[in-house]
Amino acid sequence: MPAQTYGTYGAYRPYTAPPETVVETTTRLRPIRERRVGLVVAAGACLVLGAGLVGGAVAGAVLATTDAGAPEEPEGYAEARTLWHSVPVDTLFPRTLAGPKEGPGAADRTWTRVVVAPDAPCTSASLPKSVLTTLRPVGCDRVLRATYTDATASSVITVGLVFTQADPTATRSLATESAARLGTDVPPALSAPGTVAARFGAAQRAGWWTRALNDLPVVVTAVSGFADGRPVASPQPADRAMADGQTSPVAQSGLGHEAKGVADRIESTLRATVTTAAKDHDR
């Protein structure tokens, strides 16, 4: 594969990105316990038959009401739970991402992956406090993260996929009522020695984006910064930095667009992977 080349921040100068040095493949870890809905329904049917015609009619009415009131599980929901340990890392975090019209002024963007972290537990090392706190009642399985750089190697963006234990009702709540709480804090940065992300730390975080999907048990996070290691005094959420009339360093640098653009591309990749997994399961 030919080497990827980039320009440094400011004047253009050829730059060859070093190879990724962290984990390149996912490992199948703990199996996800399957739901036991079939056993519950079967047991309920036996009780109905044993209770007689009248009792069966009453029980049937109760079961019908319960089924009608239960939230419908979106397609691919169950498959999405296991993706963090069942698909290759290149599937969830492609080596390159294309972002048509994702930059300031609807400019086209391209991002290249520079580092991938091993799958990690849900702790403050991989998640912001607000996400940890909000997910505690519903449960959190695992966090996957990778860092990308733009075509000029002037910015770096860490993107994360947080796989939760939430049921469909809790997932919808996370995407609506809890959305504001999830995005309160800046996500941690993922750096890597010997790469353009070597100096990407807590002080360099600039723009961030957090989104809980309303139809999959996943939260997407992203945080951007300058690749040259300059600190950012006042980080901004991506939606605020992208608003018209913003003049902050984060807004003027386009780092809000960088965070949201990479997050959007990874979300699209995740959805495509879920769709494929659901079709394979139905065959």
Side-chain angles (χ1 to χ4, degrees), residues 60 89 96 98 112 124 135 141 144 164 184 187-188 206:
V89 66
T96 59
T112 301
S124 58
L135 293 183
D141 273 330
L144 305 183
T164 79
T184 301

Side-chain angles (χ1 to χ4, degrees), residues 107-279:
D108 293 341
R109 311 296 285 170
T110 301
W111 300 280
T112 301
R113 196 183 72 198
V114 295
V115 59
V116 178
D119 61 273
C122 302
T123 68
S124 58
S126 57
L127 291 176
K129 181 180 178 181
S130 55
V131 174
L132 278 173
T133 301
T134 306
L135 293 183
R136 189 170 292 124
V138 301
C140 184
D141 273 330
R142 215 68 178 169
V143 183
L144 305 183
R145 294 191 299 159
T147 294
Y148 288 80
T149 187
D150 71 318
T152 65
S154 60
S155 63
V156 283
I157 309 97
T158 295
V159 60
L161 292 174
V162 188
F163 291 82
T164 79
Q165 299 171 4
D167 61 22
T169 299
T171 291
R172 293 187 182 98
S173 177
L174 288 173
T176 53
E177 289 87 351
S178 304
R181 295 199 303 274
L182 281 169
T184 301
D185 301 317
V186 189
L190 172 64
S191 61
T195 73
V196 295
R199 291 178 285 181
F200 189 28
Q204 286 71 41
R205 296 174 299 173
W208 81 92
W209 177 258
T210 303
R211 170 178 161 83
L213 308 187
N214 64 0
D215 56 347
L216 296 175
V218 179
V219 176
V220 182
T221 67
V223 59
S224 61
F226 294 108
D228 60 9
R230 76 183 76 175
V232 178
S234 301
Q236 276 189 313
D239 53 351
R240 187 187 307 168
M242 294 168 61
D244 292 339
Q246 283 290 318
T247 59
S248 68
V250 178
Q252 293 184 334
S253 65
L255 287 173
H257 290 79
E258 297 288 324
K260 187 177 185 300
V262 171
D264 286 348
R265 298 281 71 73
I266 294 300
E267 179 184 334
S268 296
T269 299
L270 171 69
R271 291 187 178 281
T273 304
V274 169
T275 299
T276 300
K279 288 180 179 178

Side-chain angles (χ1 to χ4, degrees), residues 33-45 63 67 70 73 78:
R33 182 175 299 175
E34 297 182 355
R35 294 185 180 87
R36 305 184 66 85
V37 175
L39 294 178
V40 173
V41 173
L63 288 173
D67 290 342
E73 184 174 281

